[in-house]
Amino acid sequence: MKHPSRRFSTLAIHAGNNADKTYGALVMPIYQSSTFRFDNPDQGARRFTGEEEGFIYSRLGNPTTAVLQDKLAVLESGEAALAFSSGMGAISSAILTICQAGDHIVADELLYGGVYDLLAHIMPCYGIETSFVNTQDVTAFQDAFRPNTKLLYLETPANPNLKITDLRAASALAKAYDKRILVMCDNTFATPYLQQPLKLGCDIAAHSLTKYLNGHGDVIGGALISNKKFIQEVANIGLKNLSGAVLSAFDSYLVLRGIKTLELRMERHCASALQVAEFLQGHPAIRQVYYPGLPQHPGHTIAKAQMHAFGGMVAFELKGGRSAGAKLLNSLSLITLAVSLGDTETLIEHPATMTHSTYNAEELAAAHISEDLVRLSVGLEDVLDIIDDLQQGLDALMLK
Ligand code: LCS
């Protein structure tokens, strides 16, 4: 279904939704079937060679998941998409498709802890080395590319402290060194509503569908969006035979349902996060607030240029350090102490000991993830209730 002139919220509801030809159901049904019947052996053979379109086996493709993939491709302005059973499944399948032993990756030093662990500690065991750089430091970053560099891996806004990378500038540097280097951006924090990496010079957008795209905290999923050739390669190599990390039909249905309200939810997440960030900035217990929507944020100007708004994630450091953070996390009554993000519920966590505990002490320092940092995923509750809860916890820190 092509709607080149339609706008985001319309596409989020309608794109890819014309697939139920059997009964014309308004909502794409859940095709909960592991395999699909062939009319005869020739047809089975033709499906395997690709001469005939059609489903074979749900690790190789499923009608419900196919609609989700079509929708994601449209929303990210890509040619094609592939869904996975987790964000890590998507990212590791892409990396294993792109890189072989002897290849090299350049990545920002600030990444989700699971991806950092994969690149820093696990991939070297398979002969794939990563150089971690600050992609905001153009000179150092340029020096990192080598003749065997296959991938530039970025995350913006980055988990956990919302560092912003200029996607156009970073992609241009990689391509100037060697136009065969693929540039991949994890777009989980922004979602395609706020930022479209493929329009900013990247080759691949990656997502943890677990977060805002599903939005309701009841699915683990992932996706890649790129050109048809790359997606076909990952489908045949990284997904089909290497990871096998396919998204189930039921989870595809849940993510399809979540995406229909993505724009509405993101507008509210962004508005509330800005209000929470401004409140935090004015509180005497806080040392530093990280939110790209604040003019003082070092990435504010770039974020303003490459994002439609600034997202629902806020991070902050408390004057009383790590013990004050622990006190605050123990004192909240509405906000839930939990990892993950992008849900309707407001969630709070301590990156150094939770999502980023895969970084050792030196690596945490190099990536500027302080022991004092607390990360907040601002949910869809009334923002005044979120602020009240933070206020009572922060005010209690001031009482000695
Ligand atoms: N990319 C980013 C930016 C993430 O934040 C996560 C998970 C992933 C990829 C991996 O996706 P998954 O396999 O979990 O679907 N981030 C988490 C977090 O911050 N808290 O819990 C998980």
Side-chain angles (χ1 to χ4, degrees):
M1 194 194 234
K2 283 237 177 304
H3 291 307
S5 61
R6 300 255 158 97
R7 292 161 184 84
F8 192 90
S9 62
T10 310
L11 294 171
I13 293 166
H14 290 280
N17 256 2
N18 60 348
D20 181 37
K21 300 206 169 67
T22 313
Y23 296 111
L26 173 67
V27 173
M28 183 62 191
I30 304 164
Y31 280 92
Q32 190 73 14
S33 184
S34 49
T35 198
F36 297 84
R37 200 173 48 233
F38 306 131
D39 292 340
N40 53 59
D42 283 348
Q43 185 187 48
R46 283 199 305 278
R47 293 231 175 133
F48 270 90
T49 59
E51 288 163 74
E52 180 182 305
E53 282 202 13
F55 294 97
I56 298 172
Y57 180 69
S58 281
R59 178 159 45 77
L60 316 182
N62 173 282
T64 314
T65 309
V67 176
L68 171 63
Q69 292 171 164
D70 287 352
K71 198 186 283 290
L72 288 169
V74 172
L75 296 183
E76 276 287 13
S77 302
E79 287 176 5
L82 201 57
F84 295 81
S85 57
S86 68
M88 286 308 300
I91 293 161
S92 58
S93 299
I95 292 171
L96 288 170
T97 303
I98 296 165
C99 296
Q100 297 177 355
D103 288 342
H104 174 250
I105 298 171
V106 175
D108 195 274
E109 58 209 355
L110 191 76
L111 301 171
Y112 164 58
V115 176
Y116 182 78
D117 202 23
L118 176 72
L119 294 178
H121 309 135
I122 300 170
M123 285 296 181
C125 307
Y126 297 89
I128 299 165
E129 296 289 336
T130 297
S131 299
F132 292 96
V133 294
N134 177 2
T135 52
Q136 291 171 329
D137 179 355
V138 174
T139 331
F141 170 39
Q142 262 172 327
D143 289 346
F145 293 116
R146 299 181 193 162
N148 59 341
T149 305
K150 290 283 160 61
L151 175 68
L152 168 63
Y153 186 90
L154 304 166
E155 202 181 287
T156 182
N159 190 352
N161 70 16
L162 294 311
K163 176 180 165 179
I164 301 292
T165 294
D166 183 335
L167 289 178
R168 253 187 234 287
S171 303
L173 278 179
K175 302 286 176 187
Y177 181 84
D178 180 345
K179 60 181 185 315
R180 291 168 303 179
I181 295 175
L182 293 177
V183 183
M184 177 158 156
C185 175
D186 185 329
N187 203 29
T188 299
F189 271 36
T191 82
Y193 177 58
L194 300 182
Q195 171 176 279
Q196 298 186 336
L198 303 185
K199 283 193 173 165
L200 296 164
C202 301
D203 301 289
I204 307 153
H207 281 282
S208 168
L209 298 175
T210 316
K211 314 293 165 23
Y212 292 104
L213 282 161
N214 178 56
H216 294 75
D218 48 13
V219 166
I220 299 284
L224 299 173
I225 302 96
S226 183
N227 58 41
K228 274 190 187 143
K229 183 173 165 282
F230 179 74
I231 290 298
Q232 198 55 51
E233 251 173 63
V234 185
N236 286 335
I237 302 169
L239 177 61
K240 180 163 79 73
N241 294 344
L242 262 165
S243 71
V246 289
L247 191 68
S248 73
F250 181 59
D251 285 339
S252 301
Y253 157 84
L254 286 173
V255 180
L256 275 168
R257 186 162 78 154
I259 288 176
K260 289 185 183 184
T261 56
L262 181 65
E263 178 171 324
L264 281 172
R265 289 187 287 104
M266 289 315 292
E267 286 289 341
R268 172 73 169 244
H269 282 299
C270 292
S272 295
L274 179 60
Q275 221 173 313
V276 167
E278 282 168 348
F279 158 75
L280 290 170
Q281 205 171 31
H283 198 284
I286 302 277
R287 193 174 67 225
Q288 176 83 41
V289 179
Y290 301 90
Y291 183 64
L294 294 175
Q296 300 85 342
H297 188 282
H300 177 68
T301 310
I302 294 163
K304 213 170 158 183
Q306 71 186 14
M307 297 176 74
H308 166 67
F310 304 100
M313 300 298 294
V314 180
F316 56 94
E317 287 160 349
L318 291 158
K319 282 186 184 151
R322 184 164 164 192
S323 64
K327 258 192 216 158
L328 175 69
L329 266 49
N330 277 322
S331 72
L332 299 168
S333 62
L334 171 71
I335 298 170
T336 305
L337 175 56
V339 296
S340 203
L341 57 113
D343 295 335
T344 55
E345 293 82 358
T346 298
L347 306 177
I348 198 161
E349 66 116 7
H350 180 239
T353 57
M354 297 175 190
T355 48
H356 293 71
S357 56
T358 52
Y359 282 70
N360 65 33
E362 297 82 64
E363 292 167 338
L364 281 173
H368 305 288
I369 305 169
S370 83
E371 284 264 297
D372 308 346
L373 191 78
V374 173
R375 191 193 75 181
L376 191 66
S377 169
V378 178
L380 302 180
E381 303 95 338
D382 190 308
V383 68
L384 297 179
D385 290 327
I386 300 170
I387 289 174
D388 281 351
D389 200 26
L390 287 167
Q391 172 126 39
Q392 60 78 28
L394 291 169
D395 288 353
L397 295 180
M398 305 300 293
L399 304 170
K400 285 270 153 59

